[in-house]
Amino acid sequence: MAAMLDETALSQALSGRRVLVTGHTGFKGGWLSLWLRRLGATVVGVALPPARQSFCTAVGIDRLIESRIGDIRTENTLREAIGGQDFDLVIHMAAQAIVRTSYEAPVDTYMTNVVGTAVVLEAARRMPSLGGVIVVTSDKCYENREWVWPYRERDPMGGRDPYSSSKGCAELVAAAYRASFFSAAGGPQLATVRAGNVIGGGDWGTDRLVADLARSAGSGVPARIRNPVNVRPWQHVLEPVRGYLMLGAALLDHGARFAGAWNFGPGADADVNVGRLADLAVSKWRGECPDYIIERQDGAPAESVVLRLDSTKARAELGWKPLLHLEEAVASTVDWYRAHRREPERIRAFSESQINDYAARWATGKDAAPAQEEKEVIATCA
Ligand SMILES: NC(=O)c1ccc[n+]([C@@H]2O[C@H](COP(=O)([O-])OP(=O)(O)OC[C@H]3O[C@@H](n4cnc5c(N)ncnc54)[C@H](O)[C@@H]3O)[C@@H](O)[C@H]2O)c1
């Protein structure tokens, strides 16, 4: 397949398509819905109600698309929410997405992330027009060996905490559904996607690093940062979202060749530890400086120390590659929170302008800027 090099090609593939997004009231689902709408797709979202402070509420996503409130944990509630509608593409993002919450509510995490995935796939396979399904899991689905090498799509599933293992389980559920129900020639195809630690405007989730800093900015209350040495593959939300859109278009246009698992990780420059990412974010904040303290919690739930993703397959077969250097991703994220603080009523236009700028960057064909030399970041903002 020729690489889909710009947004025009994406729009040609997705305009006029009916797309079901689960989790549209969440951070990534909100950005995905906004971009899908810009591409001319008809978007229906199913999720739990948005949090009072969320991307969905700030931008008004639930007024821009057809928003259905529904629970994916049982077939009846999902069926009621979908109301017998038919779709070309299903992008399943709804999840209990926080590692620490998964320690407090493991059964609910498995119900949402594993049973919920089966419930959504069951609904999908009854849609007459379906061409493709994308199940969003996580970089944490892999059996983590705590080694320096990036994980590839064929590495074994695992997960030592309930969230990570629920995402590994969701991958297994999707693989069984693919083999059992989504493998007919010319029939709908199923892919799973694994992205890194996503940053971007409008994430107010608990235990999310930049969200914690955003809450600290202007409040005088420092963010509490755990595990500053843990290395994560940080990336701007529009990077994996573009990958999901390219993959959705490829499933609809080319079918089985694009079924299977896909990593969408950042360039190697973005595999930095939590402490460095926090310093980088603070250095971009100008004006209302956030502050943080490092909180060492003895006996706190364990999280993996090193996690890297290999996205060679997405580069080679889909023509996807990361576009933003880590500094650009952080700057764009901080810009969003600052814009929201200054002019909350204009944040939808601002978010759309960020998609516009990102699409323009894509059209230039330029990669993420080459990794800069590791330099010390001074964690101050003017
Ligand atoms: N944010 C990240 O860094 C990251 C990284 C890798 C993978 N992911 C995955 O991406 C997806 C989206 O993550 P996010 O950061 O936007 O999460 P989020 O917490 O902001 O949003 C979660 C969404 O799922 C919905 N949801 C939760 N339980 C539900 C239920 N029982 N029924 C219906 N809807 C339900 C919520 O209403 C919300 O719309 C998730 O599958 C997550 O595991 C996120």
Side-chain angles (χ1 to χ4, degrees):
M1 178 200 169
M4 192 173 287
L5 288 176
D6 63 22
E7 198 191 25
T8 310
L10 203 54
S11 179
Q12 277 162 5
L14 294 175
S15 177
R17 300 287 199 165
R18 289 185 55 77
V19 183
L20 175 67
V21 174
T22 70
H24 68 290
T25 58
F27 164 55
K28 284 169 73 177
W31 280 100
L32 174 73
S33 301
L34 196 61
W35 199 344
L36 272 168
R37 192 174 161 274
R38 169 184 160 101
L39 295 170
T42 301
V43 189
V44 177
V46 174
L48 297 181
R52 191 182 54 78
Q53 194 171 41
S54 60
F55 182 80
C56 178
T57 311
V59 174
I61 293 295
D62 44 355
R63 296 190 300 278
L64 293 177
I65 65 165
E66 185 181 330
S67 172
R68 303 284 185 107
I69 299 304
D71 195 322
I72 59 164
R73 283 169 293 189
T74 65
E75 290 189 78
N76 282 349
T77 49
L78 182 64
R79 199 177 303 123
E80 261 173 44
I82 295 178
Q85 295 193 65
D86 185 24
F87 294 92
D88 300 299
L89 179 66
V90 173
I91 305 182
H92 171 44
M93 284 204 169
Q96 191 302 96
I98 307 285
V99 174
R100 287 231 292 180
T101 306
S102 80
Y103 281 102
E104 290 152 21
V107 174
D108 186 58
T109 300
Y110 286 110
M111 287 297 290
T112 305
N113 297 358
V114 188
V115 175
T117 296
V119 168
V120 170
L121 292 176
E122 197 54 32
R125 80 187 184 94
R126 302 191 189 285
M127 295 172 187
S129 307
L130 191 72
V133 186
I134 296 176
V135 174
V136 177
T137 66
S138 170
D139 53 350
K140 297 189 173 65
C141 68
Y142 292 107
E143 180 187 335
N144 194 311
R145 316 279 182 92
E146 295 296 358
W147 61 25
V148 293
W149 296 285
Y151 292 94
R152 292 184 185 170
E153 286 85 350
R154 300 183 74 161
D155 283 331
M157 298 293 98
R160 285 185 211 160
D161 61 84
Y163 170 75
S164 304
S165 101
S166 76
K167 286 294 180 175
C169 293
E171 284 281 350
L172 300 181
V173 168
Y177 263 79
R178 184 186 304 122
S180 306
F181 308 117
F182 291 104
S183 56
Q189 300 296 323
L190 193 160
T192 61
V193 290
R194 305 155 183 178
N197 266 48
V198 177
I199 58 173
D203 185 5
W204 277 287
T206 43
D207 277 350
R208 297 261 173 95
L209 177 57
V210 185
D212 288 343
L213 290 173
R215 276 185 281 267
S216 162
S219 75
V221 181
R224 290 165 188 277
I225 289 184
R226 299 163 294 125
N227 309 323
V229 297
N230 288 4
V231 174
R232 293 285 177 270
W234 306 97
Q235 60 189 155
H236 191 270
V237 61
L238 292 176
E239 301 267 48
V241 162
R242 178 173 53 94
Y244 306 163
L245 292 170
M246 291 170 74
L247 181 58
L251 285 172
L252 292 178
D253 286 351
H254 304 277
R257 211 190 125 189
F258 292 90
W262 300 83
N263 285 345
F264 292 103
D269 72 295
D271 293 343
V272 302
N273 69 35
V274 168
R276 183 169 156 78
L277 199 277
D279 288 348
L280 193 53
V282 170
S283 75
K284 302 277 177 212
W285 222 288
R286 303 185 309 278
E288 312 131 332
C289 307
D291 197 7
Y292 71 84
I293 52 174
I294 298 197
E295 193 174 68
R296 294 192 194 280
Q297 295 171 317
D298 294 333
E303 289 189 25
S304 54
V305 178
V306 184
L307 187 50
R308 295 188 165 96
L309 278 179
D310 182 328
S311 308
T312 307
K313 181 182 167 189
R315 281 177 183 269
E317 295 183 24
L318 201 57
W320 177 92
K321 59 188 178 185
L323 302 179
L324 302 180
H325 185 264
L326 178 64
E327 285 211 36
E328 296 170 302
V330 172
S332 167
T333 302
V334 171
D335 283 350
W336 193 98
Y337 287 106
R338 294 178 74 243
H340 180 258
R341 207 171 156 78
R342 258 196 331 266
E343 289 187 288
E345 66 288 351
R346 293 203 62 253
I347 202 63
R348 175 177 150 198
F350 187 83
S351 307
E352 285 168 340
S353 76
Q354 286 203 320
I355 296 180
N356 200 50
D357 292 350
Y358 180 75
R361 170 67 169 271
W362 185 14
T364 66
K366 275 194 207 148
D367 246 339
Q372 295 182 343
E373 279 208 358
E374 183 86 357
K375 59 179 184 226
E376 202 180 331
V377 178
I378 309 298
T380 54
C381 62

